[in-house]
Amino acid sequence: MRISMRKAAAALVLALGATGAAAQQQPQGDAPPAEVGVVTLSRQDVPRVVTIPGRAVAYQSVEVRPRVDGVIEEILYSPGRPLNVGDPLFRIDDASYRAQVAADEAELATAEANLPVAESDYNRAQQLAGRGYTEAEVESARAALAEARATLDAAQAALDFSRTQLGWTTITSPIDGRAEVAATSVGNLVSAAQSDALTTIVRTDPIYVDMVEPSARRLSVRQQIESGQLTMNGDLAATLTLENGTVYHGSGTLVTPGNTVSTTTGTFSMRFSFENPDHVILPGMFLRGDITIGTIRAFLVPQRAASRDNSGLLTVYLAAEDGTAQQVTLRDEGSHDNAWIVTEGLEDGDRLIVDGLKSLQDGQEVRPVAVTIDEDGVTRDAAPAAEGDDGSAADADAAAED
């Protein structure tokens, strides 16, 4: 009995060994194709929008300085309040200028009184020439009359200038805008030749925004227009994104496209004008501008389906007709929403792999499944299989788990 049990155990060991050897000799089957989500690409009209940095610049900015000498008697404005052209800002002591006006008025009155006398002398000398007045005396009377007229003109000019200087003792705003805090105070002596401004007035409605663009991109856009890929939509328009990420409500119009390229940065500056009634944009702010150039015939490649290499090119995978994943390198022309704009390297009907990219390799066998991408970037089956009401799908899943 003991011998029989030993023989049975030995036979079992031999059987198991044979089974293991057979399993090792049996070739394993190939791995199944990887399931990937794909979207079918087609060329379409895409807005050509470029995003570039910008900086706000005041529409008008004036440094106010005195035009006459004197002591500041009064500051006539409130900092930050709106000003119109001609609103008074400062008053300078005008006593000496009023005295000069009075003196010039007296000079003018004297000249006006002397002119009729000179005219009468000349007329009399001209009538009595050769009958008591020599030719020299007539010429002298003519010269005296001319001098009297010149004296009158000089007196009038001096009075006009002195009155102008008297008017300059009240410094007014040359533009509409808002003034900064005064850089002087009542009692300070100012002069017409000083370099320090009394205050600065800035107009911010409308306001300029200077946007900086690489010159290489400008050449690329010009080439696309000439080739017919890009269609212009009239004048350039721009929208702004503020420093806190808020999109500004108004759109800007182009003032100047820029005529020179910086020798240090290789960029040129475009100036846009924006309405700014609420003074939300202030000079010096850094902004982001989106400029709509036109429309371009291109493919939209979802950003989630592409990666960039060290040279800045896009790398994507296409589901080829032979059932493999094909790696393709593309050059983009910017972005639109959550997609890259691509004009070359793709064809209508290409199936772009957007899901299942992890560990995917070039040439790997794949099983494409049509999907869609919603606004949140989530992929969903384009035509999901309907599950039966009898629970067969749940049973199938349970069987698969078993």
Side-chain angles (χ1 to χ4, degrees), residues 273-297:
S273 177
F274 289 83
E275 297 296 328
N276 191 30
D278 298 329
H279 306 281
V280 174
I281 304 174
L282 299 178
M285 274 188 176
F286 287 98
L287 310 160
R288 189 174 73 248
D290 294 324
I291 304 175
T292 303
I293 302 175
T295 56
I296 187 172
R297 294 289 294 173

Side-chain angles (χ1 to χ4, degrees), residues 49-54 209 211 238-241 274 287-291:
V49 180
V50 295
T51 301
I52 55 179
V209 176
M211 301 184 188
T239 58
L240 292 178
T241 302
F274 289 83
L287 310 160
R288 189 174 73 248
D290 294 324
I291 304 175

Side-chain angles (χ1 to χ4, degrees), residues 192-209:
Q194 72 178 43
S195 59
D196 297 333
L198 300 181
T199 189
T200 301
I201 303 176
V202 177
R203 181 178 177 181
T204 58
D205 181 27
I207 195 166
Y208 290 139
V209 176

